[in-house]
């Protein structure tokens, strides 16, 4: 593994470059195919509403995959991520238009750990609401 | 309805091996619109010290979730799968998943709880390669939401 970032150059509180990830209905159909998760709440508005959702929602795992990109883009080597966990607090509602929804992600170093590892604390919001809670990655730096 | 606590600790038989292909990783990376070359270019992956292209960190969920189906669809457990939502997800990696891996998932029930009519199940999926070496552990918390009449009671 070859992280681009060295342990010595980060401090607790160091912010990673933030990112914004758009998601449309087409994105969700593509993700369903690639992941094998064809639950209709992610592509069928009629079905989503019958189970009490406001509209089609993004796969939680899609949101989780986008959020960690703030970490993998920063560290260069995605194999440097040794732990990653999230809590799904609110769904990302994806309207049927050309804009869809936006997932906004910020991250900072929450703690420096042993063996050149750091804990990165992530925040992901959509439409001004937190969509992931307790979102943390442990990353092996050089 | 409270779930049967005797299921806690139960381990299900390992899955058949899943062969991770370069093109499947490429498809997944495209679906999350991630241009990291480590996912598509073997030379770029080798420059980072990997023997072949690696998969994005959440890729392995497609295997572990399918394996967890053995648990959540177990008729003896009696979980209402139509009302299941994903609560938490965590991964701990010994190494990244990579092209050429033949991965086997062994699922266990780590915990069962019933709260306010919701059934909550914690499933652990241990993922090993063909040599029997540990690759990643996935912890999945699923919540089977109470039916409306119970939730509003």
């Amino acid at each position: 593994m070859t992280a681009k970032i060295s342990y010595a150059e980060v401090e607790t509180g160091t912010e990673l470059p933030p990112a914004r990830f758009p998601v449309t209905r087409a994105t969700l159909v593509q993700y369903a195919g690639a992941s094998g998760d064809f639950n209709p709440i992610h592509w069928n508005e009629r079905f989503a509403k019958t189970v009490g959702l406001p509209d089609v929602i993004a796969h939680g795992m899609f949101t989780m995959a986008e959020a960690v990109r703030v970490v993998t883009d920063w560290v260069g080597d995605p194999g440097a991520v040794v732990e990653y966990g999230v809590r799904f607090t609110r769904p990302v509602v994806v309207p049927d238009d050309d804009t869809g929804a936006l997932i906004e992600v910020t991250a900072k170093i929450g703690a420096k750990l042993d063996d050149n590892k750091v804990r990165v604390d992530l925040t992901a919001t959509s439409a001004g609401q937190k969509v992931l809670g307790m979102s943390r990655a442990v990353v092996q730096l050089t | 309805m409270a779930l049967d606590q005797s299921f806690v600790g139960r381990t299900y038989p390992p899955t058949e091996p899943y062969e991770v292909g370069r093109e499947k990783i490429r498809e997944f990376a495209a679906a999350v619109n991630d241009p990291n070359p480590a996912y598509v270019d073997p030379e770029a992956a080798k420059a980072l010290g990997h023997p072949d292209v690696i998969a994005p960190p959440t890729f392995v969920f497609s295997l572990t979730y399918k394996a967890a189906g053995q648990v959540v669809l177990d008729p003896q457990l009696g979980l209402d799968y139509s009302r299941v939502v994903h609560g938490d997800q965590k991964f701990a990696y010994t190494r990244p998943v990579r092209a050429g891996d033949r991965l086997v998932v062994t699922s266990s029930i780590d915990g069962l709880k019933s709260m306010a009519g919701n059934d909550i199940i914690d499933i652990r999926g241990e993922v090993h390669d063909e040599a029997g070496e540990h690759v990643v552990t996935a912890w999945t918390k699923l919540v089977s939401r109470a039916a409306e009449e119970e939730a509003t009671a």
Side-chain angles (χ1 to χ4, degrees):
Chain A
M1 285 184 303
T2 321
K4 282 192 304 193
I5 309 290
S6 78
Y7 185 77
E9 67 187 279
V10 300
E11 295 301 332
T12 299
T14 298
E15 293 189 8
L16 279 55
R20 307 167 75 172
F21 304 103
V23 45
T24 65
R25 291 288 177 85
T27 316
L28 297 182
V29 170
Q30 189 179 1
Y31 184 79
S35 68
D37 181 349
F38 294 101
N39 188 328
I41 62 173
H42 304 307
W43 51 268
N44 183 330
E45 182 172 337
R46 174 176 51 81
F47 183 87
K49 287 181 172 167
T50 64
V51 295
L53 294 166
D55 203 336
V56 161
I57 62 168
H59 301 72
M61 290 307 300
F62 175 83
T63 304
M64 188 177 183
E66 296 302 332
V68 80
R69 287 179 53 196
V70 166
V71 179
T72 56
D73 286 352
W74 171 72
V75 77
D77 181 3
V81 176
V82 294
E83 275 184 40
Y84 179 37
V86 305
R87 176 164 297 163
F88 301 105
T89 50
R90 278 178 185 276
V92 175
V93 178
V94 182
D96 183 19
D97 57 29
D98 295 336
T99 311
L102 196 62
I103 299 165
E104 302 185 71
V105 182
T106 60
K108 64 174 194 298
I109 305 299
K112 295 187 83 172
L113 311 175
D114 294 341
D115 303 325
N116 287 2
K117 292 189 181 86
V118 294
R119 192 192 80 219
V120 178
D121 296 343
L122 296 148
T123 302
T125 60
S126 186
Q129 295 197 299
K130 202 167 169 182
V131 293
L132 298 179
M134 296 291 291
S135 180
R136 293 171 166 184
V138 175
V139 188
Q140 178 71 61
L141 302 182
T142 50
Chain B
M1 186 179 66
L3 295 168
D4 182 350
Q5 288 295 316
S6 73
F7 277 74
V8 176
R10 183 169 299 204
T11 295
Y12 289 74
T15 58
E16 289 296 311
Y18 175 101
E19 188 164 326
V20 180
R22 283 182 185 171
E23 291 302 336
K24 188 65 194 178
I25 293 175
R26 182 193 301 273
E27 180 191 13
F28 187 90
V32 295
N33 197 28
D34 191 335
N36 196 311
Y39 302 142
V40 290
D41 177 359
E43 293 310 314
K46 281 174 191 161
L48 295 169
H50 305 294
D52 203 328
V53 293
I54 62 171
T58 62
F59 174 88
V60 75
F61 184 75
S62 11
L63 284 60
T64 56
Y65 189 59
K66 198 173 167 200
Q70 286 177 290
V71 182
V72 295
L73 298 175
D74 182 342
Q76 292 185 318
L77 180 62
L79 200 69
D80 182 358
Y81 189 61
S82 71
R83 307 196 64 81
V84 162
V85 295
H86 202 173
D88 293 24
Q89 182 60 42
K90 186 181 173 187
F91 302 102
Y93 313 89
T94 297
R95 65 161 174 85
V97 169
R98 58 191 178 228
D101 273 337
R102 286 169 57 82
L103 301 176
V104 170
V105 186
T106 307
S107 301
S108 305
I109 298 179
D110 268 4
L112 290 172
K113 266 193 299 196
S114 294
M115 285 173 65
N118 298 319
D119 288 327
I120 302 165
I121 181 164
D122 288 297
I123 301 166
R124 177 168 43 88
E126 298 285 359
V127 182
H128 292 87
D129 65 16
E130 202 165 25
E133 299 292 326
H134 179 262
V135 177
V136 52
T137 300
W139 291 269
T140 302
K141 186 187 291 291
L142 299 175
V143 181
S144 182
R145 294 171 299 147
E148 275 78 10
E149 60 271 27
E150 291 174 38
T152 52

